[in-house]
Amino acid sequence: MSLGELTDAASAVVVAMGIVAGAATLVSTRRPLAALAVLLDFLTAASLLHLAANPSYLKALSAGIVLAIRHAISWTLQTGSGAGMPPMRD
């Protein structure tokens, strides 16, 4: 198995774990922004793994976009802008 295949498989596993962790966060906290932040942490890790095997400008751009979105959500959570959002209803 080549390094590219290994990192592709690892990034797919990380994405799946992120979906599960994000869903668990949403169910337990009922805060969509917090769940999205958890998911984006995992997507960041997956995109960096994917970038490590075969770097390209497109892969670097996609990793940068995920990081920018994650930074904006973190800022929103820290400033309390999302605090006024009501929890999700059943």
Side-chain angles (χ1 to χ4, degrees):
M1 182 178 264
S2 71
L3 178 63
E5 293 170 337
L6 183 63
T7 56
D8 283 345
S11 65
V13 169
V14 171
V15 167
M17 291 171 43
I19 292 169
V20 170
T25 302
L26 181 61
V27 168
S28 64
T29 64
R30 298 195 180 271
R31 293 179 53 214
L33 283 179
L36 184 59
V38 169
L39 174 63
L40 286 172
D41 281 341
F42 279 89
L43 292 180
T44 300
S47 64
L48 292 176
L49 274 171
H50 196 65
L51 180 64
N54 191 9
S56 71
Y57 288 113
L58 185 59
K59 290 179 183 179
L61 179 63
S62 66
I65 290 170
V66 170
L67 286 170
I69 293 169
R70 175 61 177 107
H71 182 72
I73 289 174
S74 293
W75 180 79
T76 301
L77 290 172
Q78 289 174 358
T79 59
S81 299
M85 291 178 54
M88 290 178 50
R89 302 281 182 220
D90 290 329

